[in-house]
Amino acid sequence: MSRFQSFLHSTLSSVFGLFYWPLIRVAVPDLVEAAKNADILIFVVPHQFIPNFCKQLLGKIKPNAIAISLIKGFDKAEGGGIDLISHIITRHLKIPCAVLMGANLANEVAEGNFCETTIGCTDKKYGKVLRDLFQANHFRVVVVEDADAVEVCGALKNIVACGAGFVDGLKLGDNTKAAVIRLGLMEMIRFVDVFYPGSKLSTFFESCGVADLITTCYGGRNRRVSEAFVTSGKTIEDLEKEMLNGQKLQGPPTAEEVNYMLKNKGLEDKFPLFTAIHKICTNQLKPKDLIDCIRNHPEHMDTFIMPSPKL
Ligand SMILES: NC(=O)C1=CN([C@@H]2O[C@H](COP(=O)(O)OP(=O)(O)OC[C@H]3O[C@@H](n4cnc5c(N)ncnc54)[C@H](O)[C@@H]3O)[C@@H](O)[C@H]2O)C=CC1
Ligand SMILES: O=C(CO)COP(=O)(O)O
């Protein structure tokens, strides 16, 4: 069982394979078998595997099922952009897909410690159904309609967490780490503003935004492996195998997917932190170069392009 599955086991008092239906306490390891009679499909796998999962499920699920994705990451789209995982699920399976993102380190949720999460759902009716499904005494849910921004926050914060890990490995201290986290947040806001216009600034103050950014930059796997990348000199791939026992890092592939789009659109210099983190993960830069890459950040030089907050 993956870490997130064990969190859901605790939260929902149930065991499930990839998909969950309340009151049925059976783990079904076969994907199609688990999904075929489900009314609500919960997707929780490392984002690298989702296109293949959707192909397997095509035509094998109830036509009126709804989905919710807890997956933090993107997929590369043809033509030089990125796809949101919820959009891939909807496009392949032809069902609506909401998202759930938040400061939800799986082991802490599984221990029953209090935390919050954000559900992004454009349909109010489904939003209520999903809130009632996930809400628990220790797991408090806020539903917002700004679903794309919720999902983008969940993916991008994993890139920033790699930067926080590099700073920890370089032993640059808390002020530098705070600067990296803040610049990361500003690049997240800028990214949503440029590529998902019409999103709300208030979404960044939900659990999916600033709270998930903080928890991942202090307690997450992306931070931990990135710190070890600096201190050990080993590759990210080797450290992932050594330290994560079969689990998958989301930050480095997400940095690669984001860079694929930024490069294609000539926007790398507007996102120097995301760009530098990708280059460090792929050995085009050394971790110690990180600070020089953000010393002249547009935040310090330009007038910020985000319109006035729509709070
Ligand atoms: N673990 C955490 O604290 C949190 C994870 N998430 C997100 O949930 C998603 C899943 O993360 P985790 O549960 O931590 O996953 P994980 O890193 O524990 O992934 C392991 C699971 O991936 C699946 N898997 C491995 N190789 C596969 C393959 N070749 N094909 C298909 N499936 C394969 C298996 O079911 C395996 O149990 C990610 O997008 C992650 O960002 C979100 C919040 C917290
Ligand atoms: O998304 C997470 C917490 O909300 C988990 O982050 P890591 O993948 O870095 O452990």
Side-chain angles (χ1 to χ4, degrees), residues 74 82 156 159 191 254-262 274:
F74 304 117
I82 53 164
L156 293 180
I159 306 179
F191 189 93
T254 305
E256 211 256 317
E257 289 141 14
V258 164
N259 187 258
Y260 168 76
M261 178 156 86
L262 295 179
F274 291 168

Side-chain angles (χ1 to χ4, degrees), residues 47-68:
H47 74 276
Q48 298 89 318
F49 307 130
I50 201 67
N52 187 35
F53 272 46
C54 285
K55 274 185 207 130
Q56 291 180 59
L57 288 173
L58 185 61
K60 311 267 176 54
I61 56 167
K62 281 180 148 181
N64 59 349
I66 62 169
I68 182 162

Side-chain angles (χ1 to χ4, degrees), residues 87-299:
H87 292 190
I88 295 176
I89 292 169
T90 291
R91 205 168 54 243
H92 278 78
L93 302 180
K94 300 177 182 34
I95 55 173
C97 184
V99 295
L100 180 151
M101 308 278 147
N104 302 144
L105 290 170
N107 52 332
E108 295 183 17
V109 184
E111 278 166 24
N113 298 341
F114 177 85
C115 67
E116 297 181 297
T117 203
T118 313
I119 288 180
C121 185
T122 50
D123 185 310
K124 282 199 168 72
K125 183 175 64 181
Y126 294 145
K128 182 173 173 357
V129 170
L130 293 167
R131 201 256 336 263
D132 292 349
L133 177 64
F134 282 93
Q135 181 99 277
N137 269 346
H138 67 290
F139 193 75
R140 307 308 288 168
V141 180
V142 174
V143 184
V144 299
E145 287 181 278
D146 203 11
D148 287 354
V150 171
E151 185 167 358
V152 174
C153 281
L156 293 180
K157 61 87 192 172
N158 283 334
I159 306 179
V160 184
C162 294
F166 298 148
V167 169
D168 286 344
L170 292 163
K171 306 201 176 2
L172 294 176
D174 288 333
N175 293 341
T176 307
K177 186 162 166 177
V180 164
I181 294 172
R182 190 192 84 84
L183 291 172
L185 178 62
M186 298 316 276
E187 290 195 16
M188 288 166 61
I189 294 172
R190 183 179 286 231
F191 189 93
V192 169
D193 188 43
V194 171
F195 297 112
Y196 299 89
S199 301
K200 294 195 175 102
L201 189 61
S202 56
T203 301
F204 293 88
F205 299 102
E206 298 294 346
S207 183
C208 63
V210 71
D212 200 8
L213 183 63
I214 292 169
T215 204
T216 313
C217 287
Y218 282 87
R221 296 165 294 186
N222 286 290
R223 187 218 68 81
R224 194 154 48 88
V225 172
S226 300
E227 179 182 41
F229 177 69
V230 177
T231 54
S232 72
K234 294 181 183 173
T235 65
I236 300 263
E237 294 73 28
D238 285 347
L239 290 165
E240 187 182 50
K241 283 192 200 107
E242 263 178 53
M243 298 173 68
L244 297 187
N245 193 26
Q247 294 174 9
K248 293 283 171 202
L249 269 191
Q250 306 299 294
T254 305
E256 211 256 317
E257 289 141 14
V258 164
N259 187 258
Y260 168 76
M261 178 156 86
L262 295 179
K263 202 171 186 169
N264 272 311
K265 297 191 183 298
L267 286 172
E268 277 179 299
D269 61 334
K270 297 284 180 216
F271 297 87
L273 182 68
F274 291 168
T275 303
I277 290 167
H278 165 65
K279 289 188 172 168
I280 292 168
C281 290
T282 51
N283 297 316
Q284 300 171 63
L285 284 176
K286 299 273 178 228
K288 68 174 174 46
D289 298 329
L290 177 70
I291 302 308
D292 281 337
C293 295
I294 57 173
R295 212 179 285 286
N296 293 324
H297 196 284
E299 268 295 299

